[in-house]
Amino acid sequence: MVRLTLDLIARNSNLKPRKEETISQCLKKITHINFSDKNIDAIEDLSLCKNLSVLYLYDNCISQITNLNYATNLTHLYLQNNCISCIENLRSLKKLEKVYLGGNYIAVIEGLEGLGELRELHVENQRLPLGEKLLFDPRTLHSLAKSLSILNISNNNIDDIRDLEILENLNQLIAVDNQLLHVKDLEFLLNKLMKLWKIDLNGNPVCLKPKYRDRLILVSKSLEYLDGKEIKNIERQFLMNWKASKDPKKISKKRSSKSEDASNSLISNFETMHHLVPVYYPQVGKPKLVFFSEIQRYPVNGNASPESSREDYTKIIEEMGNLSLKQSESLLTKNDVHEPHLFHNPKEKENLFAENE
């Protein structure tokens, strides 16, 4: 394995010191270092490279991010496809704008607090243990809320991205080949990310949901590209017109449903507040006719008074009573009508039933 040292950098950077200029002075002038795919497994002290702005170390065997504290002018860091399991030792790099960490062993996006200039973060294709997913430290998300504009989190077994709502200036999100399932979660996120104009979710189960594309286009006015396909004005306008024509029908249906619920509630309350007791009207030689009379009953807790309850249901009671009486008047005389539940003397009730038998 190879360690990245100042000597190695000097030998491979084609430095041509001017007359009376030392190697150290030359190293201070270096702005770009490219040691990708060189079997590098560790980073030594690079403190002399004070003007280093771009560092390419992808496709190596680096397991830890170390000795970059003094590269305070670093703006671009390429560390994809290494053996890194933890994002660390980057907080002093205040000018860092782009970080590439895809293809490592990172399980948590963390350690980026204080990087107020970071605009791009690429952490796709992490080699995670079976069943695990990439997680986000809330402190890091809060720190990147105003600066981050591009985020690549593809192929990390992620099933929920609602936490990204805090990234208010995010304009590109690449999250292909994850486990995102619910359209409602995406609608929630798009409602928050007002500057997002490109999102790629190909390879997620949610893409197979009915009207998935239509719903996302309708919820986000800023979105211009969805899953690699441009959203044209004519497509958005058509969907907006369709939604506008459908909304009044939904409102009407909702009102109708509320009215029906209210009616059902009224009937239910009536049945609860009134006990229906059978009244027998016997006639000799004819089948017995059965009608129902109403006895008021009130809640045990006494919250409803007899007067207020009867006022609420007077109309219903009258209609029921009129219907029963009109049908019976043509068939019965006063002497035929008996209401056993109104007898106060039990013997009177027994005599009545004995006569009927």
Side-chain angles (χ1 to χ4, degrees):
M1 292 297 178
V2 181
R3 303 177 74 83
L4 182 62
T5 63
L6 291 174
D7 183 60
L8 183 62
I9 294 171
R11 285 189 284 110
N12 288 271
S13 299
N14 296 319
L15 292 176
K16 296 180 179 179
R18 295 179 182 179
K19 190 176 181 180
E20 297 181 357
E21 190 175 38
T22 65
I23 295 296
S24 297
Q25 291 173 326
C26 289
L27 289 171
K28 290 180 181 179
K29 296 179 180 179
I30 291 178
T31 58
H32 291 62
I33 293 178
N34 188 347
F35 277 86
S36 57
D37 197 16
K38 300 291 185 183
N39 288 322
I40 304 292
D41 66 335
I43 305 171
E44 291 288 346
D45 181 17
L46 301 181
S47 58
L48 287 179
C49 302
K50 295 189 180 296
N51 287 305
L52 182 65
S53 60
V54 180
L55 178 58
Y56 297 95
L57 289 174
Y58 57 86
D59 295 338
N60 281 299
C61 305
I62 299 169
S63 58
Q64 283 187 304
I65 305 174
T66 58
N67 294 313
L68 294 179
N69 297 351
Y70 297 100
T72 53
N73 288 308
L74 197 66
T75 59
H76 296 57
L77 178 59
Y78 296 81
L79 286 170
Q80 60 267 46
N81 301 325
N82 277 281
C83 303
I84 300 167
S85 60
C86 180
I87 304 175
E88 56 187 345
N89 302 318
L90 296 178
R91 296 184 185 181
S92 62
L93 308 181
K94 303 298 184 182
K95 295 183 180 181
L96 207 55
E97 298 176 5
K98 299 182 181 182
V99 175
Y100 293 80
L101 289 166
N104 281 285
Y105 294 87
I106 299 167
V108 181
I109 304 303
E110 59 184 347
L112 299 175
E113 294 89 327
L115 303 185
E117 299 296 320
L118 192 63
R119 295 185 289 106
E120 294 188 28
L121 179 60
H122 301 261
V123 289
E124 72 283 0
N125 303 319
Q126 297 302 315
R127 290 172 275 184
L128 300 171
L130 186 64
E132 289 193 14
K133 62 183 179 181
L134 186 68
L135 301 174
F136 300 89
D137 186 331
R139 293 169 297 182
T140 285
L141 288 178
H142 182 77
S143 179
L144 301 178
K146 296 188 180 299
S147 64
L148 200 66
S149 59
I150 299 175
L151 177 62
N152 187 345
I153 53 174
S154 297
N155 193 26
N156 283 313
N157 205 34
I158 297 171
D159 57 7
D160 190 352
I161 55 176
R162 287 176 292 178
D163 288 346
L164 303 182
E165 63 168 303
I166 196 172
L167 304 176
E168 59 186 67
N169 285 311
L170 196 67
N171 56 56
Q172 295 184 52
L173 176 61
I174 303 97
V176 305
D177 296 329
N178 280 296
Q179 298 300 319
L180 301 174
L181 183 62
H182 303 293
V183 180
K184 285 186 177 180
D185 291 350
L186 298 177
E187 290 177 321
F188 168 83
L189 183 65
L190 291 178
N191 263 319
K192 300 291 184 179
L193 303 181
M194 306 300 292
K195 297 183 180 180
L196 192 71
W197 62 269
K198 179 180 180 181
I199 186 170
D200 195 343
L201 301 169
N202 277 310
N204 282 277
V206 71
C207 298
L208 302 177
K209 296 286 186 178
K211 300 190 181 299
Y212 149 79
R213 180 178 175 87
D214 295 349
R215 289 173 64 177
L216 295 194
I217 292 174
L218 282 170
V219 81
S220 175
K221 295 181 180 180
S222 62
L223 208 58
E224 298 178 14
Y225 285 87
L226 174 57
D227 298 340
K229 185 178 178 182
E230 182 181 3
I231 301 171
K232 296 184 178 180
N233 289 335
I234 191 171
E235 180 182 9
R236 177 175 273 114
Q237 191 60 51
F238 171 81
L239 291 172
M240 291 174 65
N241 293 341
W242 171 78
K243 185 176 183 295
S245 66
K246 194 174 180 181
D247 283 347
K249 295 180 181 178
K250 282 187 177 180
I251 295 172
S252 177
K253 188 175 180 181
K254 190 173 181 181
R255 287 177 179 172
S256 176
S257 177
K258 284 184 177 180
S259 177
E260 184 177 346
D261 290 344
S263 177
N264 290 339
S265 176
L266 181 63
I267 294 172
S268 176
N269 290 337
F270 173 77
E271 292 177 348
T272 302
M273 297 295 296
H274 296 78
H275 179 56
L276 299 180
V277 179
V279 178
Y280 298 90
Y281 300 91
Q283 278 194 340
V284 178
K286 293 183 180 180
K288 294 180 179 180
L289 302 176
V290 180
F291 295 92
F292 291 90
S293 70
E294 175 269 336
I295 290 180
Q296 181 75 32
R297 67 179 181 183
Y298 305 102
V300 177
N301 59 17
N303 289 336
S305 66
E307 292 78 12
S308 62
S309 297
R310 186 166 295 278
E311 287 175 1
D312 291 339
Y313 304 108
T314 296
K315 186 175 181 181
I316 297 176
I317 295 170
E318 288 178 353
E319 290 178 356
M320 292 178 66
N322 291 338
L323 177 61
S324 299
L325 291 174
K326 285 180 182 178
Q327 292 177 348
S328 62
E329 282 175 353
S330 61
L331 299 174
L332 307 174
T333 66
K334 291 182 180 179
N335 295 329
D336 293 327
V337 179
H338 302 283
E339 297 190 3
H341 63 284
L342 298 179
F343 288 127
H344 298 287
N345 190 340
K347 290 184 177 180
E348 294 179 6
K349 187 185 296 186
E350 292 176 2
N351 293 336
L352 172 64
F353 286 116
E355 291 175 4
N356 291 339
E357 292 176 356

